[in-house]
Amino acid sequence: MTTETRPRTERFDPAAYEARWRERWERDGLYLAHDDDPRQKRYVLTMYPYPSGDLHIGHWYAATGPDIAARVHRMRGDNVMFPMGFDSFGLPAENAAIDRGIHPAIWTADNIERMRAQFRTMGCMFDWTREVATSDPSYYRWTQWLFLQFFKAGLAYRAMAPVDWCPKDQVVLAREQVEGVERRCWRCGTPVIKRDLEQWFFRITNYADELLDFSGIEWPEPIRLMQTNWIGRSEGAEIDFPVEAEGVDPIRVFTTRPDTIFGATFMVLAPEHPLVAVLTTDAQREAVDSYVVAARRETEIERMNAERDKTGVFIGAYAVNPMTQERVPIWIADYVLPGYGTGAIMAVPAHDERDYAFAQKYDLPIRFVVVPASGERAAEGAFVEHTSDEVLTDSGEFSGMPASEAIGAITQQLVDIGLGSFAVSYRIRDWLVSRQRYWGAPIPIVYCPDHGIQPLPEDQLPVTLPRDVDFAPTGVSPLQSHAEFLNAACPVCGGPARRETDTMDTFVDSAWYFLRYCSPHDDDEAWNAEQVREWMPVDLYTGGAEHAVLHLLYARFFVKALRDMGHLAFDEPFLALRNQGQILGADHQRMSKSRGNVANPDELVARYGSDAVRCFLMFLGPGDQGGPWNPTGIDGIYRFLGRVWSLAQPPAGDEQRSPLGVDRQELERALRRATHVAIAGVSEDVEAFRFNTALAKLMELANAIIRSRESGAAGASAHDEAVDSLLLLLAPMAPHITEELWARRGKPYSIHQQPWPAYDPALAATETIELPVQVDGKLRDRLVITPDTPAAEVEQMAIASEHVQRYLAGREAARIVYIPGKLVNVVTPR
């Protein structure tokens, strides 16, 4: 058939319809989640972004996967809530105020407006009527209310503590925000130092054991492992070593090996330990003070380096080993850290390499008290291997006892004499939530000269941020120089009081935002209990694995604490978690405006359309891997969408006539098989977030439809079913083109309100194979067939291929060689 007689297909041009459909969807409220909808509720959520100014390709990558999942659930009949908001407090806005002279509130609002418009360009089914912004007083009023609940429950407290301090941003960091062996700020990469400050903490340690229980939630194993390691539960004993000083409490240590106590020949305190100042003798004071100052200048990684030379100072005091009654000297050394265990250790040099090196340097006794059953051990160095058959030696009445038994027996004896207890220690520390910056939720506390720390009454919330402050980074909060903000009244006596000037860590905002989405416009409470009961917990949550010990851990803690306060009736915030990988910049670093390596998707959208960008991102590979950004290959996705555009159009006349020798019924059966195989495979893939392989299966189905048209099956019921199924399966990934084609095919509005296609298990179970098609021995096409496809049909399908026809140039094939299940080779005439 010549091109003159073929009906003209309108040119594939995404710009002609994408914006029009987005406007229609929003005008119709197509994606709104209604609380009174009787269908099964499904809460799908992706981590909200910081409003940095522009969406980069990483934002698209993070949002497209969960959008696909939300759309599939909707097509399966669920009432899906898929909200979006902005994590709008934080340092970048304040730094922008310092660098550019623009107020953080203005900078943030402008960025939100720009990013909201860019999000809409993606075509995601976000319910924008539920939007939250954490810097809005209507939101942080309830963040402050939550702080008060934690304070009243004894879970928020203030204490002096050595804290991690970023000298660049002039701000305290939570322990989880210090990254890597070089201990750098998670946000700007500056090496972190230590400072002593009065800080506010949340008692997350109260929930350490419960946070180790992941039953009932479907989370990736790496995330569970990271949280488990971060919590760091260790079983052992706490042991008190009395000191030779009147009125001074014993030195308490935690050890996982109380069976080695007979080998404890000295003690080591962290330089920051509070007993250092109390126990140091006058003769040792100068040397000790000098060492303490030097140690506090070092990073934790420097102090923990096992290879560095061990240093320390004897403080002039002694303790008593509770099992041997021997006097043991007390030292300070920088390899003992204040934040681990109790900040003090019983040093057992025969069985710890660091203690061994320290004892060797300072000529301290080394006593072996655990040996293999054979009695053989290395002639030099500490015995730290701890074989399964090891026994105690030189350990009094416990000598000869297996070490595994001695751990409990010695601990029990320490319990009996009142100098020990069975104990569990944790690596995790309480969550430091104070920040000495302006752009955050003010902590709703005042300080009265007579009544001390006082929580504000709830009817005085929100404590709003003043607009006229000095943003110069001074190491203290800009609010400290704002007299009007500082001046407050004591809730008890009504007298003058000073308002707390620290603001809350932004991770407090995100520890509960998923609850606010359930009733975002409620002015009377943080969340409506009935709506939270209906929607929560979140059914599916997506985001980066980098938040494993930050946001994800804090959100779990918040839900458990609020449950115990009676505010919630469930244990976990997120039932299922899926992590997407990170799209890195060309420099293989995380995309960031500060690094200058962001890739803006707007140019790609203008050239290829939103659907092509969405599909290309999902086709890059497994969703949990990510990788460096490279737009090479998007042309292939664009061509695929172009083929879908063409094959969904009304067929030409000759595409409805079977070529001579081709069984039309068999063609239809083969196409139906291909359709139902695709439905089954794509359904399985999207459930598992394998969007790349789902798209590959849709490409195979598109190819099968094209081949069926070329073989004259167009217009048959199997052909229409295949095209409709292709559009329905593709709709969550490419919402615009499928909506346009669905309407052009005369189908009811909207394709996104149609049911997800069902498959016939008998047809879907039929195995298909991909058969290479060669022309004169060179690969030119591929056919998707079933193993039982007749040879005559395979040959006709090969001949009908437009790629083969190009090389035949209107001639008859000299011969066709078909090797079943392997290949088909068309030989051209010579």
Side-chain angles (χ1 to χ4, degrees):
M1 183 177 182
T2 64
T3 55
E4 287 76 10
T5 59
R6 181 187 298 273
R8 183 177 180 274
T9 299
E10 187 175 333
R11 186 173 67 90
F12 173 48
D13 180 15
Y17 57 81
E18 287 193 341
R20 169 166 48 83
W21 282 117
R22 288 195 296 270
E23 292 168 4
R24 170 79 184 272
W25 298 331
E26 188 150 355
R27 186 169 64 250
D28 295 345
L30 187 66
Y31 301 129
L32 301 187
H34 298 287
D35 296 326
D36 57 357
D37 191 322
R39 294 177 298 168
Q40 174 69 40
K41 287 181 169 56
R42 179 78 59 171
Y43 190 173
V44 179
L45 184 62
T46 189
M47 295 179 187
Y48 61 0
Y50 182 81
S52 55
D54 287 292
L55 291 187
H56 56 65
I57 207 71
H59 290 113
W60 276 64
Y61 187 72
T64 302
D67 180 61
I68 294 169
R71 289 175 174 279
V72 171
H73 281 299
R74 194 171 189 275
M75 295 175 74
R76 284 176 170 163
D78 293 339
N79 177 24
V80 178
M81 177 166 71
F82 187 46
M84 178 48 70
F86 297 94
D87 189 12
S88 51
F89 268 143
L91 279 173
E94 195 164 341
N95 288 339
I98 296 169
D99 298 339
R100 307 174 199 176
I102 183 171
H103 195 280
I106 297 173
W107 187 84
T108 300
D110 289 346
N111 288 351
I112 286 177
E113 184 176 355
R114 186 158 59 253
M115 291 178 72
R116 189 189 296 120
Q118 290 176 313
F119 264 129
R120 283 186 161 94
T121 302
M122 293 176 62
C124 288
M125 58 167 278
F126 294 131
D127 182 348
W128 287 105
T129 66
R130 295 177 181 267
E131 178 187 326
V132 301
T134 59
S135 59
D136 191 310
S138 66
Y139 182 92
Y140 71 75
R141 166 192 180 184
W142 299 111
T143 303
Q144 293 171 341
W145 177 83
L146 284 165
F147 183 95
L148 294 179
Q149 308 316 301
F150 277 66
F151 182 81
K152 293 170 186 175
L155 293 175
Y157 67 95
R158 194 169 185 251
M160 178 69 76
V163 297
D164 291 311
W165 177 265
C166 175
K168 179 180 184 296
D169 288 330
Q170 296 281 296
V171 68
V172 170
L173 301 175
R175 187 177 175 197
E176 294 86 346
Q177 294 168 327
V178 180
E179 294 186 335
V181 295
E182 296 180 342
R183 288 181 42 79
R184 294 182 178 273
C185 172
W186 74 293
R187 189 179 295 279
C188 69
T190 302
V192 169
I193 62 175
K194 290 284 186 182
R195 283 183 63 171
D196 286 329
L197 289 174
E198 283 248 287
Q199 302 288 295
W200 283 97
F201 295 85
F202 284 161
R203 296 188 194 276
I204 192 173
T205 52
N206 284 17
Y207 289 84
D209 279 325
E210 192 176 353
L211 289 168
L212 288 168
D213 181 6
F214 299 96
S215 59
I217 58 177
E218 183 191 339
W219 282 31
E221 178 60 28
I223 299 296
R224 298 200 301 267
L225 182 61
M226 282 189 278
Q227 289 200 0
T228 298
N229 291 340
W230 185 258
I231 294 166
R233 188 181 193 275
S234 299
E235 295 185 1
E238 283 188 344
I239 304 173
D240 289 341
F241 283 68
V243 296
E244 296 180 344
E246 284 292 327
V248 179
D249 290 338
I251 297 173
R252 178 164 294 177
V253 303
F254 173 83
T255 177
T256 59
R257 294 300 303 263
D259 54 315
T260 64
I261 190 171
F262 285 86
T265 58
F266 61 99
M267 302 198 73
V268 182
L269 304 180
E272 299 87 348
H273 197 290
L275 286 180
V276 172
V278 176
L279 294 174
T280 299
T281 62
D282 292 341
Q284 293 295 107
R285 181 77 59 187
E286 183 177 351
V288 168
D289 288 348
S290 176
Y291 188 87
V292 169
V293 170
R296 289 176 65 82
R297 286 199 297 263
E298 297 175 320
T299 66
E300 279 192 20
I301 194 61
E302 290 172 333
R303 292 171 63 170
M304 293 172 67
N305 186 352
E307 304 301 320
R308 70 184 302 208
D309 186 41
K310 298 294 180 287
T311 63
V313 175
F314 173 51
I315 70 171
Y318 291 84
V320 177
N321 186 317
M323 295 302 289
T324 67
Q325 299 305 308
E326 295 174 319
R327 298 175 78 222
V328 292
I330 305 171
W331 290 67
I332 59 170
D334 59 7
Y335 74 88
V336 178
L337 302 175
Y340 290 80
T342 65
I345 65 166
M346 64 174 200
V348 185
H351 304 292
D352 183 276
E353 290 178 341
R354 296 178 309 165
D355 296 346
Y356 183 88
F358 194 90
Q360 286 278 79
K361 180 173 182 176
Y362 293 104
D363 197 24
L364 296 166
I366 299 174
R367 182 184 303 146
F368 289 88
V369 293
V370 178
V371 295
S374 65
E376 298 179 1
R377 59 173 178 80
E380 295 183 358
F383 172 62
V384 296
E385 289 82 3
H386 294 311
T387 58
S388 59
D389 65 343
E390 64 190 13
V391 296
L392 268 60
T393 184
D394 201 10
S395 298
E397 65 187 274
F398 300 98
S399 296
M401 181 180 289
S404 57
E405 296 179 19
I407 289 174
I410 290 176
T411 301
Q412 186 58 55
Q413 189 167 115
L414 288 164
V415 171
D416 295 342
I417 64 177
L419 290 174
S421 62
F422 291 93
V424 175
S425 180
Y426 301 90
R427 180 178 182 267
I428 192 174
R429 295 293 175 260
D430 281 340
W431 176 10
L432 191 160
V433 298
S434 290
R435 296 295 181 269
Q436 290 68 47
R437 299 305 292 256
Y438 166 81
W439 195 237
I443 293 174
I445 293 289
V446 298
Y447 302 92
C448 174
D450 298 322
H451 297 97
I453 297 175
Q454 291 296 323
L456 279 177
E458 293 177 11
D459 61 7
Q460 293 185 21
L461 302 180
V463 178
T464 56
L465 292 165
R467 295 288 293 240
D468 52 335
V469 294
D470 181 3
F471 293 105
T474 60
V476 297
S477 171
L479 297 173
Q480 287 196 15
S481 59
H482 196 283
E484 185 178 347
F485 181 85
L486 285 171
N487 293 331
C490 173
V492 178
C493 65
R498 179 179 61 84
R499 196 182 302 280
E500 172 63 75
T501 57
D502 282 359
T503 54
M504 282 183 253
D505 180 6
T506 56
F507 282 106
V508 178
D509 306 327
S510 59
W512 75 280
Y513 80 113
F514 44 88
L515 296 168
R516 186 63 177 171
Y517 280 137
C518 296
S519 52
H521 308 296
D522 196 323
D523 293 330
D524 299 321
E525 50 193 349
W527 55 82
N528 179 278
E530 181 180 350
Q531 300 309 330
V532 162
R533 191 162 48 248
E534 289 292 324
W535 287 108
M536 290 293 297
V538 174
D539 294 286
L540 174 63
Y541 195 43
T542 69
E546 68 272 16
H547 295 290
V549 295
L550 289 164
H551 162 59
L552 292 172
L553 191 64
Y554 296 154
R556 296 183 67 215
F557 159 58
F558 251 55
V559 164
K560 295 173 189 302
L562 289 167
R563 174 206 60 200
D564 289 348
M565 296 178 210
H567 296 299
L568 297 175
F570 49 91
D571 301 326
E572 294 283 354
F574 317 120
L575 295 180
L577 174 69
R578 295 289 182 270
N579 295 129
Q580 85 274 347
Q582 287 189 359
I583 295 295
L584 306 177
D587 57 359
H588 290 240
Q589 298 293 316
R590 181 178 178 178
M591 281 193 184
S592 165
K593 288 188 71 175
S594 62
R595 292 192 178 100
N597 65 349
V598 297
N600 191 321
D602 292 352
E603 294 179 6
L604 292 174
V605 172
R607 181 175 177 183
Y608 297 102
S610 297
D611 286 339
V613 177
R614 288 169 58 103
C615 291
F616 175 61
L617 286 168
M618 295 300 96
F619 198 60
L620 288 176
D624 60 350
Q625 293 185 12
W629 168 246
N630 186 341
T632 302
I634 193 171
D635 289 286
I637 290 291
Y638 184 76
R639 287 194 297 271
F640 162 65
L641 294 177
R643 289 196 299 274
V644 172
W645 177 266
S646 298
L647 66 84
Q649 305 292 339
D654 66 345
E655 293 176 321
Q656 302 183 48
R657 294 193 299 271
S658 302
L660 187 63
V662 175
D663 186 333
R664 186 182 179 92
Q665 289 187 334
E666 182 54 38
L667 283 175
E668 292 188 28
R669 282 195 296 270
L671 184 55
R672 288 203 72 221
R673 281 196 297 269
T675 300
H676 286 256
V677 166
I679 295 172
V682 172
S683 299
E684 180 181 334
D685 284 345
V686 296
E687 186 73 26
F689 270 53
R690 296 191 299 263
F691 303 121
N692 58 325
T693 54
L695 276 166
K697 290 179 174 65
L698 292 175
M699 292 176 183
E700 293 174 5
L701 177 57
N703 289 338
I705 295 171
I706 291 170
R707 284 192 295 271
S708 74
R709 290 172 71 117
E710 293 170 348
S711 299
S717 61
H719 175 270
D720 289 342
E721 178 192 9
V723 174
D724 289 348
S725 297
L726 174 64
L727 295 179
L728 289 165
L729 295 171
L730 182 59
M733 299 174 229
H736 306 87
I737 186 176
T738 51
E739 185 77 279
E740 176 71 13
L741 291 172
W742 191 256
R744 285 171 176 257
R745 290 175 64 79
K747 303 292 184 177
Y749 175 78
S750 151
I751 191 173
H752 305 297
Q753 297 186 115
Q754 306 309 310
W756 185 254
Y759 62 88
D760 182 335
L763 287 171
T766 304
E767 181 186 359
T768 61
I769 60 174
E770 190 175 78
L771 188 73
V773 178
Q774 298 178 347
V775 176
D776 294 331
K778 294 184 178 180
L779 181 66
R780 300 302 183 189
D781 200 356
R782 295 180 185 275
L783 301 177
V784 177
I785 63 170
T786 58
D788 60 349
T789 303
E793 181 182 340
V794 172
E795 293 177 6
Q796 287 293 337
M797 291 171 68
I799 289 295
S801 165
E802 63 177 307
H803 302 290
V804 173
Q805 285 294 325
R806 186 181 307 128
Y807 290 94
L808 286 174
R811 300 170 295 171
E812 294 289 332
R815 61 192 176 97
I816 301 173
V817 179
Y818 174 44
I819 304 176
K822 298 296 184 180
L823 61 84
V824 58
N825 183 36
V826 178
V827 181
T828 61
R830 298 297 181 186

